Amino acid sequence: AVVVVALAATGGFLWWRHVQNQNDLDQAASLCKTSKTKADKAFSELQSALSEAKPAQQIPQGDVSDPTVLETLNSAVTKASSASEPVSCDVALGTETLNANASKNKQIARASTKAKTNVAKATKAVNDGKAEKVEFIKHELQTAVTGAQKIYDDSKGVVLDDSTRTTLQSAIDQANALLQQDDADLNEMQQSITDVKDAGDAVTVSMNEYTAQQKYLEQQRQQQQQQQQQDDQNDNGNDLNGSTNSQIGDSRGHETQ
């Protein structure tokens, strides 16, 4: 009887232990799966952030208002790219490993969320920096166009080479077309600024040449006028001298008679 009781007690303990172990396993598996779901979501969002960062990483330093934001983005991407993937919650791993993996997945979720935030923030800073640079260049282009239009208007009929005005008008038209675009290429706008300014300078040079030419022609006209006046005066003097000499000759003739 004592043996039977002992066996029964042992069996009961083993059964209790089995049930307890199963409960521990179930709880560990549940906790691990919960943490893995969060880790999977955070890790997936991180991968999306990394994908969205790639175009921003390709932007040249000269195309953003502050080049240091690109360095920050590249650093954030490098750190985020080494983030660990969520670990398994397979029940076959056992209670101890499942509990350990639950803790790891919590850490992965936190690390992925932090990395995603840093990458997204850095990506936004680069894109904002590009937008600021575009607006700055657009303002410069608009200023150049305004100045060039005034040169064009003021130069009508007062240039030595009218083709310079044609070139300037073409440059202005191309610049205005770029200004109408929401996604105008930065390099094209910068080149357009150069083209407008160069064309405006060429018209200004032609205006100065025209002014110099007109001044020279006016000087020539005045010199010719002065020469004509001088010639007229000389002719009048000669006529007067001739008339005087004739009168003297006539007077002498009368005296001889």
Side-chain angles (χ1 to χ4, degrees), residues 117-152:
T117 299
N118 291 338
V119 170
K121 182 179 179 181
T123 300
K124 183 178 184 301
V126 171
N127 290 331
D128 288 348
K130 181 181 179 181
E132 290 174 2
K133 186 63 175 286
V134 168
E135 286 304 310
F136 175 76
I137 295 300
K138 268 193 172 184
H139 177 72
E140 279 199 335
L141 180 56
Q142 182 61 69
T143 300
V145 167
T146 299
Q149 187 63 56
K150 186 176 187 308
I151 292 174
Y152 181 82

Side-chain angles (χ1 to χ4, degrees), residues 93-224:
L93 294 172
T95 302
E96 184 177 351
T97 301
L98 287 172
N99 284 329
N101 285 357
S103 296
K104 289 180 181 178
N105 282 331
K106 288 180 180 179
Q107 294 174 355
I108 290 171
R110 288 194 295 268
S112 294
T113 298
K114 181 179 180 180
K116 178 205 72 173
T117 299
N118 291 338
V119 170
K121 182 179 179 181
T123 300
K124 183 178 184 301
V126 171
N127 290 331
D128 288 348
K130 181 181 179 181
E132 290 174 2
K133 186 63 175 286
V134 168
E135 286 304 310
F136 175 76
I137 295 300
K138 268 193 172 184
H139 177 72
E140 279 199 335
L141 180 56
Q142 182 61 69
T143 300
V145 167
T146 299
Q149 187 63 56
K150 186 176 187 308
I151 292 174
Y152 181 82
D153 294 340
D154 293 345
S155 63
K156 184 177 181 180
V158 291
V159 289
L160 193 62
D161 180 6
D162 201 57
S163 68
T164 58
R165 297 183 74 250
T166 302
T167 301
L168 176 57
Q169 183 61 65
S170 177
I172 291 173
D173 291 342
Q174 292 177 10
N176 282 327
L178 286 172
L179 288 171
Q180 296 302 314
Q181 297 178 18
D182 293 331
D183 57 346
D185 183 78
L186 194 61
N187 291 329
E188 288 184 9
M189 287 196 294
Q190 289 175 320
Q191 183 60 52
S192 184
I193 291 173
T194 299
D195 293 343
V196 168
K197 289 183 176 180
D198 287 348
D201 290 343
V203 171
T204 299
V205 169
S206 189
M207 290 173 67
N208 291 337
E209 290 174 345
Y210 176 84
T211 299
Q213 182 195 61
Q214 294 303 306
K215 183 178 180 180
Y216 172 77
L217 292 175
E218 177 61 21
Q219 289 174 345
Q220 291 295 306
R221 188 190 66 79
Q222 290 179 0
Q223 288 177 1
Q224 290 175 358

